[in-house]
């Protein structure tokens, strides 16, 4: 029987986020992003049977560990020291779509009865800690008419760089638009005008995406090289600005149950981890002044929503200009009911 079990996200940094220990790891490899796959259950670490283990599963694992793109599915038995007899094979028949953020969101079978440690699953991901493979820290679109149109800039080691059009394609643009919560990429070939060209450093590594990645960090970045580009070749991307939000259930647009628009459909937001900083971002985005601090009873007067629950585990620093800039689970993934829908009350 396919089940889901709770794994804590291993590498997910940011203000206000959990700093608990990872519930999935790679051991025995040359670096933290390659090795035998191990998961924790009830305080004990165990291995994963390689029956059904494939690149889609590795892709999710690499994403969860913050390790960039998936490279391969080596046998876990090649990584030393081997799993001990005291370790159990905890799960098998892992079945990921490949777009999940965590292994916990995939299906798997707990009834392991025909797997030994000779069949332990392994995974090989890019090592983002290697200086020869720079990994983008963040991405933004600037100089455009809105946050979803503009010149592509990538942040690395705290410095923003423009991106040369050489090697850039629609697949990379799709990932940028997805990461920014801006819908589909609709234009990638436009050149930057003289007034919108950058002036700083140019990213010196070619980025290769499949188009299915959730963030640009998961795409392959080659070693640093001299690309001989100029700012006349800066990349420009335009996306659909498909994200919006509103407060419903009251006579004021500044108080009510929170709903967000994604892919043309309105859905609610789960209150797991929701707090004052998240309220602050919503009120700011709506131009509704400062957030108030209503009681739980006051928040519940707007009633539960219906339909989709789009977002869960949102974490904001309070400095974001829009809720989609805050960290959250992948769209549509949650463990909530509509009884946990977020409601916000702003001062104006």
């Amino acid at each position: 029987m396919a089940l889901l079990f709770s794994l804590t996200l291993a590498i997910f940094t940011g203000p206000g986020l959990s700093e608990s220990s990872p519930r999935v790891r790679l051991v025995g490899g040359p670096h933290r992003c390659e090795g035998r796959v191990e998961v924790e259950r009830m305080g004990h670490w165990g291995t994963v049977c390689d029956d059904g283990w494939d690149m889609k599963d590795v892709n999710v694992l690499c994403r969860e560990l913050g390790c960039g793109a998936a490279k391969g599915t080596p046998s876990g038995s090649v990584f030393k020291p081997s799993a001990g007899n005291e370790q159990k094979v905890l799960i098998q028949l892992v079945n990921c779509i490949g777009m999940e953020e965590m292994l916990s969101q995939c299906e798997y079978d707990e009834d392991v009865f025909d797997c030994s440690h000779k069949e332990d699953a392994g995974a090989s991901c890019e090592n983002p800690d290697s200086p020869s493979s720079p990994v983008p820290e963040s991405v933004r679109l600037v100089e455009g008419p809105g946050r979803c149109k503009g010149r592509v800039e990538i942040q690395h080691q705290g410095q923003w760089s423009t991106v040369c059009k050489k090697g850039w394609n629609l697949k990379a643009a799709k990932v940028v638009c997805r990461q920014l919560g801006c819908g589909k990429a609709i234009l990638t070939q436009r050149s930057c005008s003289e007034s919108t060209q950058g002036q700083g450093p140019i990213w010196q590594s070619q980025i290769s995406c499949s188009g299915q990645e959730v963030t640009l960090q998961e795409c392959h970045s080659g070693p640093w090289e001299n690309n001989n580009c100029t700012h006349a070749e800066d990349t420009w991307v335009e996306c659909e600005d498909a994200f919006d939000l509103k407060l419903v259930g009251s006579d004021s647009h500044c108080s009510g149950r929170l709903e967000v628009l994604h892919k043309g459909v309105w859905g609610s937001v789960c209150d797991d981890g929701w707090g004052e900083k998240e309220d602050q971002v919503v009120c700011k985005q709506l131009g509704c002044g400062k957030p108030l601090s209503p009681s739980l009873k006051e928040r519940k007067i707007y009633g539960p929503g219906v339909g989709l629950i789009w977002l869960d585990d949102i974490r904001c620093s309070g400095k974001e200009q829009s809720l989609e800039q805050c960290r959250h689970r992948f769209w549509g993934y949650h463990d909530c009911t509509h009884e946990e829908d977020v409601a916000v009350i702003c001062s104006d």
Side-chain angles (χ1 to χ4, degrees):
M1 176 178 178
L3 300 171
L4 295 177
F5 72 107
S6 177
L7 300 177
T8 299
L9 183 62
I11 303 296
F12 196 22
T13 58
L17 294 181
S18 171
E19 296 180 358
S20 58
S21 300
R23 302 303 186 203
V24 59
R25 65 187 182 186
L26 295 174
V27 299
H31 50 78
R32 69 179 183 86
C33 295
E34 182 176 343
R36 181 175 63 253
V37 183
E38 293 189 357
V39 297
E40 186 185 29
R41 192 180 65 184
M42 304 296 291
H44 298 284
W45 286 96
T47 62
V48 176
C49 181
D50 64 7
D51 289 354
W53 186 258
D54 58 23
M55 286 295 291
K56 291 181 180 179
D57 308 320
V58 176
N59 189 51
V60 174
L61 179 61
C62 295
R63 180 179 302 132
E64 179 169 1
L65 294 177
C67 289
K71 295 173 62 179
T73 58
S75 170
S77 63
V78 304
F79 300 104
K80 306 301 179 181
S82 301
N85 292 329
E86 70 280 2
Q87 271 193 306
K88 295 183 178 180
V89 182
L90 293 180
I91 60 175
Q92 68 177 359
L93 299 176
V94 177
N95 182 23
C96 300
I97 298 172
M99 295 295 291
E100 297 89 348
E101 285 188 295
M102 299 180 291
L103 207 62
S104 63
Q105 297 166 348
C106 305
E107 292 185 343
Y108 76 97
D109 199 327
E110 264 189 339
D111 300 323
V112 181
F113 55 87
D114 60 351
C115 259
S116 70
H117 285 307
K118 292 182 180 179
E119 300 170 86
D120 284 341
S124 176
C125 318
E126 287 181 340
N127 180 12
D129 304 320
S130 171
S132 62
S133 298
V135 177
E137 298 164 3
S138 188
V139 63
R140 65 186 182 186
L141 300 177
V142 300
E143 301 292 349
R147 65 175 196 86
C148 294
K149 299 177 183 179
R151 183 181 71 244
V152 181
E153 290 193 350
I154 290 175
Q155 187 181 41
H156 177 64
Q157 295 182 349
Q159 184 179 49
W160 288 97
S161 304
T162 63
V163 178
C164 182
K165 288 194 296 184
K166 295 178 181 177
W168 187 266
N169 56 31
L170 180 60
K171 293 179 179 179
K174 286 181 178 179
V175 177
V176 169
C177 294
R178 181 179 299 122
Q179 182 171 352
L180 296 178
C182 288
K184 297 179 181 179
I186 57 177
L187 181 63
T188 61
Q189 297 303 314
R190 172 179 167 178
S191 298
C192 292
S193 64
E194 187 173 348
S195 62
T196 59
Q197 292 174 12
Q199 297 180 347
I202 299 174
W203 181 258
Q204 297 289 323
S205 176
Q206 184 168 332
I207 294 178
S208 177
C209 303
S210 70
Q212 299 299 314
E213 296 86 354
V214 176
T215 67
L216 206 63
Q217 290 91 325
E218 298 165 23
C219 299
H220 173 75
S221 293
W224 291 111
E225 59 185 23
N226 185 4
N227 56 29
N228 296 319
C229 289
T230 68
H231 285 298
E233 300 168 278
D234 286 344
T235 297
W236 180 278
V237 165
E238 295 190 5
C239 324
E240 295 176 342
D241 192 355
F243 182 90
D244 199 1
L245 58 81
K246 62 182 179 181
L247 298 176
V248 301
S250 75
D251 295 332
S252 169
H253 80 282
C254 290
S255 62
R257 185 180 67 254
L258 177 63
E259 292 192 356
V260 296
L261 180 69
H262 181 61
K263 294 184 177 179
V265 179
W266 288 97
S268 58
V269 177
C270 180
D271 63 6
D272 288 351
W274 189 272
E276 182 179 352
K277 292 179 179 179
E278 289 72 31
D279 277 351
Q280 183 178 338
V281 173
V282 170
C283 294
K284 182 193 307 179
Q285 184 172 352
L286 292 174
C288 287
K290 296 181 179 180
L292 303 179
S293 299
S295 66
L296 179 61
K297 183 177 180 180
E298 289 175 302
R299 291 181 186 265
K300 294 301 181 184
I301 66 174
Y302 304 108
V306 295
L308 292 171
I309 299 175
W310 269 134
L311 293 175
D312 189 13
D313 291 331
I314 296 181
R315 298 293 186 272
C316 304
S317 69
K319 298 179 181 179
E320 296 86 355
Q321 298 301 310
S322 177
L323 190 67
E324 70 268 28
Q325 296 171 351
C326 301
R327 293 181 179 271
H328 55 79
R329 282 196 190 189
F330 192 62
W331 288 92
Y333 285 103
H334 63 87
D335 53 5
C336 307
T337 69
H338 281 296
E339 294 299 323
E340 302 168 84
D341 285 348
V342 165
V344 178
I345 301 177
C346 309
S347 59
D348 291 350

